[in-house]
Amino acid sequence: FSYDGERDLLMPLHFAESERLGKALGSDRQAFEDLAVAQASRHAVFGGIFSASGMGYTERAADVWGGVLSRERLSAMAEHAHLRSVIVYPLATENRNVLGGLVIGLNRTYESLGEFEQESLRNIVNVIEIALGKALLHEALQVTNQKLAASNDRLKELDKLKSEFVSLAGHQLRAPLTVIKGYTSLSMEGTIDGA
């Protein structure tokens, strides 16, 4: 999910599933792909990514997907797919600005995972955050480069206009000055009398 802070809305980016979950979802898959979570920062599970805990967790799929499918359909799907718990990890910048969330469905509870498995999940999230941060930095650099290129083009245009102005002004000043110089020279030689 990506997060729109102005609207406090989590919007789906990608939905991937195991073969077992794909079979369990059947025609309901589209409902998950189109799900947007309103008031995300106050959501029972998603809200965890905005708090100091930094993780949302539930053992009931309805806590996450309620409103998408009926409780009965969610229960049947969770049972068929062996979905026992759902974790939501924040995807955030280094200064904790939440950019989105990663939802992971597990076939057992989080507490039953070994320390290595829990650390592996955190490491996967960290790698995604680093990649996301680099992608955002790359995007910002491209925008800055485009702005600099536009500014550079404008400066070249202004430099050309300046050169044309100096050339034109120089030409326009030379003609009267040449006449004045000529008359001054003739006057100093005594060829013509000064008035």
Side-chain angles (χ1 to χ4, degrees):
F1 286 86
S2 67
Y3 180 62
D4 179 344
E6 290 180 17
R7 298 187 298 167
D8 194 22
L9 183 70
L10 279 165
M11 297 164 295
L13 289 176
H14 182 69
F15 184 79
E17 79 259 357
S18 67
E19 184 178 327
R20 193 171 23 201
L21 181 58
K23 288 178 183 175
L25 285 174
S27 62
D28 294 327
R29 185 180 199 280
Q30 190 64 40
F32 286 89
E33 291 178 338
D34 294 338
L35 174 71
V37 180
Q39 298 179 346
S41 63
R42 293 183 292 246
H43 189 274
V45 179
F46 287 101
I49 67 175
F50 300 95
S51 68
S53 69
M55 180 179 95
Y57 177 75
T58 185
E59 292 179 13
R60 294 174 353 133
D63 292 343
V64 177
W65 309 116
V68 176
L69 298 175
S70 68
R71 285 195 183 274
E72 296 78 28
R73 181 69 184 112
L74 275 170
S75 280
M77 182 208 63
E79 188 62 36
H80 184 71
H82 301 272
L83 182 64
R84 298 291 175 252
S85 62
V86 179
I87 303 171
V88 181
Y89 284 105
L91 297 175
T93 60
E94 289 179 4
N95 56 358
R96 287 289 302 148
N97 288 332
V98 175
L99 303 172
L102 177 66
V103 180
I104 300 173
L106 300 174
N107 61 2
R108 53 192 164 151
T109 65
Y110 183 74
E111 291 80 21
S112 69
L113 296 176
E115 188 177 322
F116 174 77
E117 292 168 310
Q118 290 180 6
E119 184 66 27
S120 294
L121 284 173
R122 285 190 294 271
N123 287 337
I124 289 169
V125 172
N126 289 339
V127 167
I128 292 171
E129 283 182 328
I130 290 168
L132 186 59
K134 289 189 182 293
L136 290 172
L137 180 60
H138 179 72
E139 184 178 300
L141 286 173
Q142 284 183 321
V143 169
T144 301
N145 284 342
Q146 289 172 351
K147 287 179 182 178
L148 286 174
S151 295
N152 192 35
D153 290 344
R154 180 69 179 138
L155 286 173
K156 286 178 181 177
E157 182 183 327
L158 289 172
D159 186 52
K160 181 181 173 189
L161 289 172
K162 176 203 62 133
S163 296
E164 289 174 2
F165 173 76
V166 169
S167 175
L168 182 63
H171 176 73
Q172 294 297 326
L173 289 174
R174 263 188 232 111
L177 287 176
T178 302
V179 172
I180 293 169
K181 183 180 172 186
Y183 280 114
T184 305
S185 177
L186 289 173
S187 179
M188 290 180 74
E189 291 173 3
T191 309
I192 59 169
D193 290 329

